[in-house]
Amino acid sequence: MLVAALLDLGVPITVVEEGIRAVGLSHVTCRVEATQRSAITAPHFQVDDGANQPFRDYAAIRHLLANSSLPRGARAIASRAFRLLAEAEACVHGMAVDDVHFHEVGAVDSIVDMVAAAAAIDYLSPSLIAASPLPIARGIITGAAHGPLPAPAPATLEIICKASIPTFPAGCKGELVTPTGAALLAALTQTWTPWPDCRPCRASYGAGSKVRQDRPNLVRLVLADPV
């Protein structure tokens, strides 16, 4: 969703594609399809890894990033986000950080999401990134590799705690914030506020895969000038 919104904000798709190739995932292809959520037109970013890929532990991902040809800024963002995610998973599962197997996050599409977002942010090079408090849903998350999990997912909540991210109750069930999304926001955000003092210039949207009945499944970004 974040990558789609960044592309909608004006980042060329070639920036994302070059970032993916820079980490050695040359077999991966991505596509952007127009869709709608609550009658709002938004792109949906999709990844095709071309073949089944092995799960990777944090040590392997760290090596992948360190030996990539990503621009320095993009590499720093992706490395910081993955470190936050690995530390959270290690805490939840009671194991060494380097031994953490990410399961869903170690799959190619999640690595692509991290790297693509990092490359896009590095391309835009904003002077400040602000984000609003995160909506937290409750209930049980199904379909995870470890079995049913409480919402928010334990790794998500660990990142929120470690990064002191403000939250509010969303009043619904399910998963609104993923561990990957929380790690990226924690790595990128410099200030948390419902709305900063600014002069908005452009808004963009990125659509998620699920269609929710209680809210549009979108990420919204706003490019703004300081006041």
Side-chain angles (χ1 to χ4, degrees), residues 60-135:
I61 292 173
R62 191 180 65 220
H63 182 269
L64 191 75
L65 293 172
N67 291 277
S68 73
S69 58
L70 279 170
R72 181 182 300 177
R75 185 165 61 247
I77 293 168
S79 297
R80 186 161 63 249
F82 265 116
R83 179 72 189 184
L84 289 165
L85 189 52
E87 289 175 347
E89 294 282 3
C91 181
V92 169
H93 299 300
M95 61 196 308
V97 172
D98 276 353
D99 295 336
V100 168
H101 266 79
F102 285 104
H103 299 283
E104 293 92 345
V105 175
V108 169
D109 58 346
S110 294
I111 297 174
V112 168
D113 280 342
M114 286 277 210
V115 169
I121 290 290
D122 182 63
Y123 172 84
L124 289 173
S125 190
S127 59
L128 177 72
I129 296 178
S132 59
L134 301 184

Side-chain angles (χ1 to χ4, degrees), residues 69-223:
S69 58
L70 279 170
R72 181 182 300 177
R75 185 165 61 247
I77 293 168
S79 297
R80 186 161 63 249
F82 265 116
R83 179 72 189 184
L84 289 165
L85 189 52
E87 289 175 347
E89 294 282 3
C91 181
V92 169
H93 299 300
M95 61 196 308
V97 172
D98 276 353
D99 295 336
V100 168
H101 266 79
F102 285 104
H103 299 283
E104 293 92 345
V105 175
V108 169
D109 58 346
S110 294
I111 297 174
V112 168
D113 280 342
M114 286 277 210
V115 169
I121 290 290
D122 182 63
Y123 172 84
L124 289 173
S125 190
S127 59
L128 177 72
I129 296 178
S132 59
L134 301 184
I136 300 299
R138 300 306 309 276
I140 300 298
I141 301 168
T142 59
H146 294 293
L149 296 172
T156 300
L157 185 56
E158 186 65 24
I159 293 168
I160 288 171
C161 291
K162 289 289 180 63
S164 297
I165 297 174
T167 65
F168 67 93
C172 65
K173 294 184 178 181
E175 185 177 32
L176 298 181
V177 182
T178 65
T180 301
L184 276 168
L185 285 172
L188 291 169
T189 304
Q190 292 142 301
T191 184
W192 298 91
T193 176
W195 190 271
D197 291 333
C198 65
R199 183 176 293 106
C201 303
R202 182 175 179 180
S204 70
Y205 298 86
S209 298
K210 294 181 179 179
V211 177
R212 299 184 61 96
Q213 299 304 312
D214 60 324
R215 68 196 65 216
N217 190 19
L218 297 168
V219 164
R220 178 164 63 182
L221 300 179
V222 178
L223 188 65

